[in-house]
Amino acid sequence: MTPDTAIARITAALEPEARIRALFLSGSHGNGMADDWSDLDFVMVAEEGLTDEIAALWRDAVGRVGEVVLWRDRIVRPALINAVLAGGIRIDLIALKPEHMGGQTRDALKPLIDRDGLHVTLPDGGGTPATSPARLRYGFDEFLRILGLLPVAMGRGEYLNGVTGLFHLRNLLTELMIEETAAPHRGGALHLNRLITDEQKAALAALPVPAPEREALIAAHLAYAAEYLPRARQLADARGVEWPERFEAATWDYLNDTLGIARAPAAGPQPKIATT
């Protein structure tokens, strides 16, 4: 079944339901950047939000597209339903009360049902969503926190956990690179190719993915630190975010005291950073 057919079936099923005041396509299909692998994302507006009755209506509508093999109803977030259908079709819904539509923008939504003309009242949006200084600082602190757990994993011989910790560092580095490019319409986790530059891809590809062995893990953590920390400092300067100087210094002191690790040098030339 094509995405257009699936969208049409869901819309037709919900059109007679006056309790549903609006239904919009969001995500890649809403902003015009969908490809053959994009899932279907919807934003619904109902007076009472996502009630059991609204969830039942949605389940019936999605069931007209195909066999539902996974259904997560308000498990991850109170306004979210995730569905996976046989054949790999993925359909997500966020259902909101009208007064909770303030975080939506007109350019990111395509109206399917709009009984009250909500779409034209939304702000234009566009450009790159601003990440708050607090959220950026959280990422910097989190990288240092996880880096500082390396002596614990090595001291306990928890080399499998050391690999897990390294992948947390990799995720934080990837998030940082996306911030560097300030890419608009970031989409889901599987859109990385269009969110980072060739230089960033090469830097990620060059970083080690080690076996769960002591020396390999130590070397890999240092390689990630050398790639992340200079980039993060430059981003902090560009965005006016205070750098955690004391936390970084204390982390390197701890690594040196426990593992004899000196402060990591920068990995190489750093990219230009978007300031918005």
Side-chain angles (χ1 to χ4, degrees):
M1 180 180 297
T2 67
D4 286 345
T5 301
I7 293 164
R9 288 190 181 183
I10 289 172
T11 304
L14 296 175
E15 181 65 48
E17 297 292 341
R19 288 172 288 180
I20 296 172
R21 305 309 303 166
L23 182 69
F24 303 100
L25 274 177
S26 60
S28 297
H29 285 278
N31 62 36
M33 300 184 72
D35 60 22
D36 291 341
W37 305 101
S38 297
D39 57 5
L40 297 177
D41 296 296
F42 295 84
V43 173
M44 177 192 291
V45 180
E47 289 295 337
E48 300 301 322
L50 187 48
T51 63
D52 290 345
E53 292 79 9
I54 295 297
L57 291 174
W58 181 248
R59 175 76 186 238
D60 176 72
V62 171
R64 301 188 190 195
V65 175
E67 179 192 0
V68 176
V69 295
L70 174 68
W71 187 259
R72 287 180 175 164
D73 182 352
R74 292 163 284 181
I75 294 174
V76 179
R77 293 187 333 206
L80 175 67
I81 295 178
N82 305 115
V84 178
L85 278 59
I89 299 173
R90 306 177 309 278
I91 300 176
D92 295 333
L93 171 73
I94 294 175
L96 303 171
K97 297 179 180 180
E99 60 267 28
H100 294 159
M101 283 291 287
Q104 306 296 323
T105 58
R106 190 162 64 245
D107 67 306
L109 300 177
K110 179 180 178 180
L112 302 170
I113 300 170
D114 193 6
R115 306 185 201 281
D116 305 313
L118 282 173
H119 191 250
V120 298
T121 70
L122 298 174
D124 286 337
T128 303
T131 302
S132 71
R135 181 67 185 85
L136 292 174
R137 175 61 186 263
Y138 174 86
F140 306 153
D141 289 340
E142 186 67 359
F143 188 96
L144 291 168
R145 186 187 72 84
I146 294 171
L147 181 64
L149 291 175
L150 179 62
V152 179
M154 298 304 97
R156 292 174 175 168
E158 289 281 358
Y159 302 141
L160 292 173
N161 274 335
V163 174
T164 300
L166 190 69
F167 276 100
H168 285 305
L169 297 186
R170 188 178 185 88
N171 288 338
L172 289 165
L173 174 58
T174 302
E175 291 176 5
L176 180 72
M177 287 179 169
I178 294 171
E179 283 294 331
E180 287 175 347
T181 65
H185 300 307
R186 295 181 182 182
L190 299 180
H191 277 297
L192 186 60
N193 278 337
R194 67 173 170 80
L195 298 182
I196 63 175
T197 67
D198 289 341
E199 175 273 328
Q200 292 170 321
K201 292 174 189 175
L204 277 175
L207 288 168
V209 181
E213 299 168 356
R214 179 184 174 88
E215 296 307 318
L217 284 168
I218 292 173
H221 277 71
L222 291 179
Y224 277 85
E227 191 66 48
Y228 180 94
L229 292 172
R231 289 177 179 271
R233 275 183 169 270
Q234 190 172 356
L235 183 69
D237 289 343
R239 303 282 181 88
V241 178
E242 183 181 6
W243 182 255
E245 294 283 359
R246 182 67 191 113
F247 188 23
E248 183 185 10
T251 300
W252 286 115
D253 287 345
Y254 179 55
L255 291 171
N256 188 45
D257 291 344
T258 54
L259 297 174
I261 294 174
R263 193 170 186 139
Q270 299 305 314
K272 294 181 180 179
I273 304 297
T275 58
T276 57

